[in-house]
Amino acid sequence: GAVVSQHPSWVICKSGTSVKIECRSLDFQATTMFWYRQFPKQSLMLMATSNEGSKATYEQGVEKDKFLINHASLTLSTLTVTSAHPEDSSFYICSAPLGGRGSRDSAYEQYFGPGTRLTVT
Amino acid sequence: SQELEQSPQSLIVQEGKNLTINCTSSKTLYGLYWYKQKYGEGLIFLMMLQKGGEEKSHEKITAKLDEKKQQSSLHITASQPSHAGIYLCGAEKDSNQFYFGTGTSLTVIP
């Protein structure tokens, strides 16, 4: 089946530094990928939609200058947390949809990466 | 704001008891997914429902999508400690963006 990988799986960085997280679709192409973050005891919140060949679209309340997204190819999207602060410590997960929707009644299949746990000290 | 509301937000049950988690959308769903997760870990896909009235089962977990495709329920029979975790419903929007529900934290007491 389709696989999405993330790297790194966990990272610890110092406050003020930047951290890059990679999301790769291993055996399929994804023109769109999604980035989510999760705080303890909370659900996964959609942060942004990564679009290959164009700018990412961000959900309301997500700072685009802080969370830089680059969809470099049809199999790679990166999320860079710039000038990280302890409050950015979270679990970040990406997903990529596979397949087209044949009709309005069918859904894409979503494949999720294993996630990246970021800790900012 | 969350477009998929789950209830209850948290649930504590005695081992062996049955339980139900609900996921409600204000819009018609193209597909409804159920996942299990623990914070900081990946998602475990449970099942996907597409058709109104559809019902699927896997081991002791059954999920249904109502006829109008705006609500789904997840039912666990004879719960076990291994069922503990966060249960998330998820669904796709017009733009193929995928959203998660508000989540339900399940604790099963042995």
Side-chain angles (χ1 to χ4, degrees):
Chain A
V3 176
V4 174
S5 70
Q6 277 184 245
H7 177 80
S9 56
W10 61 270
V11 57
I12 302 172
C13 70
K14 291 186 178 180
S15 186
T17 62
S18 294
V19 176
K20 181 186 286 187
I21 302 171
E22 293 184 348
C23 178
R24 293 181 185 271
S25 56
L26 297 185
D27 51 3
F28 67 101
Q29 294 181 334
T31 56
T32 304
M33 291 184 177
F34 303 105
W35 287 96
Y36 305 83
R37 69 184 299 183
Q38 182 185 37
F39 293 106
K41 298 184 180 180
Q42 294 187 24
S43 184
L44 287 150
M45 299 293 294
L46 179 65
M47 297 175 66
T49 302
S50 175
N51 303 299
E52 191 272 335
S54 64
K55 292 182 179 180
T57 53
Y58 292 81
E59 295 297 296
Q60 190 174 10
V62 178
E63 299 176 59
K64 61 178 68 175
D65 294 330
K66 181 165 187 62
F67 298 99
L68 300 179
I69 290 173
N70 181 30
H71 203 128
S73 72
L74 288 170
T75 59
L76 173 64
S77 174
T78 60
L79 169 68
T80 301
V81 183
T82 62
S83 187
H85 288 103
E87 55 265 32
D88 297 324
S89 298
S90 187
F91 183 64
Y92 294 87
I93 195 167
C94 68
S95 75
L98 174 65
R101 183 188 295 150
S103 70
R104 285 186 63 82
D105 289 331
S106 64
Y108 290 94
E109 292 185 67
Q110 291 284 347
Y111 291 89
F112 291 88
T116 297
R117 188 182 291 206
L118 169 64
T119 301
V120 184
T121 60
Chain B
S1 62
Q2 290 280 10
E3 298 191 17
L4 291 173
E5 292 289 333
Q6 284 183 237
S7 62
Q9 185 178 3
S10 64
L11 199 52
I12 302 174
V13 300
Q14 201 75 39
E15 181 177 359
K17 295 294 185 182
N18 302 336
L19 63 103
T20 300
I21 299 169
N22 294 303
C23 175
T24 302
S25 170
S26 57
K27 301 177 181 178
T28 300
L29 300 166
Y30 295 121
L32 192 289
Y33 296 72
W34 281 101
Y35 297 90
K36 179 186 172 186
Q37 192 230 6
K38 292 185 178 181
Y39 173 70
E41 298 181 13
L43 296 164
I44 299 172
F45 172 76
L46 296 176
M47 55 195 83
M48 176 196 172
L49 305 164
Q50 277 194 188
K51 300 177 183 178
E54 186 174 11
E55 178 176 326
K56 288 186 178 178
S57 294
H58 176 68
E59 297 180 341
K60 294 184 177 180
I61 301 175
T62 300
K64 299 179 184 180
L65 182 62
D66 77 356
E67 292 290 344
K68 294 183 179 179
K69 298 175 66 175
Q70 289 189 252
Q71 185 175 42
S72 178
S73 60
L74 185 83
H75 185 77
I76 299 177
T77 303
S79 59
Q80 300 170 355
S82 60
H83 287 128
I86 301 171
Y87 287 82
L88 298 164
C89 63
E92 183 189 325
K93 293 182 73 178
D94 287 338
S95 56
N96 92 358
Q97 288 181 320
F98 192 88
Y99 288 84
F100 288 95
T102 47
T104 296
S105 176
L106 172 64
T107 302
V108 181
I109 301 172

